[in-house]
Amino acid sequence: MAGGSSEPGRTVTSKVLAILEAFEKSRGALSLTDIAEKSGLPLSTAYRLVSELTDWGLLSREPSGRYHLGIRLWELAQNTGRQLRDAARPYVQDLFSLTGETAHLAVRAGHEVLYIDRVYGSKRVPRASRVGGRLPMHATAVGKVILAFEEDWVRDAYLNRQLERHTAHTHVDPKKLAAELALIREQGYATTLEEVRLGSCSIAVPVFHTGRIGASIGLVLPTNQAATMTRHLPVLRGIAGQIERATARIPLETLLGSHVAGTD
């Protein structure tokens, strides 16, 4: 895409990223005015860049004139964590088959967990995320497990941040959360109860790679099953071991992608 930046401090790349970011938290299509406002760009600049992104297939224009993310962007995104997803997919499917519950696989991406794969159960459980979606580590079972087994400095840096409260049940006190993470390391699994969405609970175990935490695999269940969800631990741990063996010979950075596996 051509053109220099007429706005000091903002490159063309930063403007394009701002446009794509405008869609990150928007469920529906956006008008050109919406995109300009959310990206902080002049309408003329937004029009030019949106037109180029549409030509590239990264955005798609509806007959109404509104825009949504294009299929080409989805195709490119499928390469994120692809080796891990491809290697783990049969085992995520097995986890669902053996439990009948929504099963998912996640990795750390900065201060959040990124959902690499998910198989949905038929039970009505509030959905907080989707494949390719992100959530804070402290509010999810998969995130807590990853955080618990991360390096000390990563954990300390995370606990020094302002922790977002999703519901009244989200654990946001740094000292109490640090104690919870220590318990998770000791017992080898994490649970949550309505910390992201009311009506759901979750349980997760770590997936290691050459002695390091690589990912986490877990289940999401209705809240009324919270008292009995630890019954799934033998299956979760067995599946985690299968994924560890299936991915042992693939370098972690290759497996996850450098931007995912990094310690930013």
Side-chain angles (χ1 to χ4, degrees):
M1 285 174 277
S5 175
S6 60
E7 297 176 66
R10 297 197 74 177
T11 64
V12 173
T13 301
S14 72
K15 295 175 186 177
V16 169
L17 292 175
I19 289 173
L20 296 177
E21 190 177 28
F23 290 89
E24 189 172 11
K25 295 183 179 179
S26 299
R27 295 288 182 180
L30 299 175
S31 67
L32 183 63
T33 301
D34 292 334
I35 296 170
E37 290 177 353
K38 289 177 180 291
S39 63
L41 296 173
L43 191 60
S44 59
T45 302
Y47 173 78
R48 175 174 59 83
L49 293 176
V50 164
S51 297
E52 293 187 37
L53 289 169
T54 302
D55 290 341
W56 275 71
L58 300 182
L59 295 180
S60 180
R61 188 174 185 272
E62 297 178 346
S64 65
R66 298 173 72 85
Y67 295 86
H68 57 79
L69 295 177
I71 192 67
R72 188 172 182 185
L73 188 62
W74 178 84
E75 291 171 343
L76 292 171
Q78 295 309 295
N79 289 318
T80 300
R82 183 172 184 174
Q83 287 194 275
L84 175 60
R85 186 175 66 249
D86 290 350
R89 167 52 70 93
Y91 305 110
V92 179
Q93 294 274 11
D94 285 347
L95 179 59
F96 164 73
S97 298
L98 291 168
T99 64
E101 309 293 349
T102 295
H104 54 209
L105 180 73
V107 298
R108 183 173 75 85
H111 296 301
E112 299 171 305
V113 284
L114 172 66
Y115 290 87
I116 296 294
D117 201 4
R118 175 171 283 188
V119 179
Y120 292 99
S122 59
K123 297 177 183 177
R124 295 180 61 85
V125 181
R127 296 181 182 181
S129 190
R130 64 194 185 283
V131 174
R134 300 183 183 213
L135 285 172
M137 287 195 287
H138 67 279
T140 63
V142 285
K144 288 184 180 183
V145 159
I146 292 173
L147 191 57
F149 286 95
E150 266 289 5
E151 296 180 66
D152 291 345
W153 74 267
V154 175
R155 191 163 50 253
D156 292 343
Y158 189 90
L159 294 176
N160 283 326
R161 301 174 66 248
Q162 183 69 38
L163 302 179
E164 181 182 0
R165 187 186 293 277
H166 284 258
T167 74
H169 306 287
T170 310
H171 300 174
V172 295
D173 182 276
K175 291 184 179 179
K176 291 181 179 179
L177 188 55
E180 182 182 2
L181 295 175
L183 178 61
I184 291 169
R185 287 195 301 276
E186 180 181 333
Q187 65 188 14
Y189 69 92
T191 61
T192 64
L193 177 58
E194 299 189 327
E195 291 195 47
V196 176
R197 289 284 188 275
L198 298 180
S200 69
C201 59
S202 60
I203 184 168
V205 299
V207 177
F208 293 102
H209 186 280
T210 58
R212 298 167 55 190
I213 183 68
S216 180
I217 190 163
L219 297 169
V220 179
L221 309 93
T223 296
N224 61 13
Q225 295 185 38
T228 59
M229 62 181 165
T230 53
R231 73 185 187 278
H232 296 302
L233 276 173
V235 175
L236 279 164
R237 286 170 170 155
I239 294 294
Q242 293 282 2
I243 296 173
E244 289 167 19
R245 286 187 283 274
T247 59
R249 295 187 178 182
I250 306 173
L252 186 61
E253 288 70 20
T254 302
L255 192 68
L256 303 183
S258 58
H259 65 293
V260 173
T263 53
D264 55 328

